Amino acid sequence: MPQTQSRPESYQCPMHRKVRQSTPGKCSKCSMDLMPEGARFGLLRHVMKSPVHVAMAAVMVAIMVGIMIAVMR
């Protein structure tokens, strides 16, 4: 018997948990893609879609490491 995948009951914004709807779409507050309710790491998947977001995260990590090294000296 073939297995059928069940659709999630609702979709929600990873940043605004109160924004929910029954079909996939965009958040009305920030325009992020709505994720299936209960999806793990939804925000991380969204960030990894954009090279700009990845570059910003790398810069932030580099700055934090630099500050930590400066403080420890």
Side-chain angles (χ1 to χ4, degrees):
M1 281 186 140
Q3 292 182 349
T4 60
Q5 292 183 348
S6 62
R7 293 187 65 167
E9 292 181 20
S10 68
Y11 293 81
Q12 67 184 26
C13 176
M15 295 295 292
H16 304 100
R17 296 286 181 194
K18 292 183 180 180
V19 176
R20 293 174 183 229
Q21 63 185 45
S22 60
T23 58
K26 300 274 184 186
C27 175
S28 59
K29 294 183 179 182
C30 66
S31 299
M32 288 179 67
D33 292 332
L34 298 179
M35 298 287 181
E37 187 173 9
R40 291 183 147 199
F41 305 109
L43 181 60
L44 181 61
R45 278 193 296 266
H46 172 77
V47 169
M48 295 305 287
K49 286 182 184 178
S50 171
V52 174
H53 290 147
V54 174
M56 286 179 8
V59 168
M60 289 185 337
V61 168
I63 290 170
M64 290 186 330
V65 168
I67 290 171
M68 289 173 55
I69 290 172
V71 169
M72 296 179 87
R73 286 185 178 189

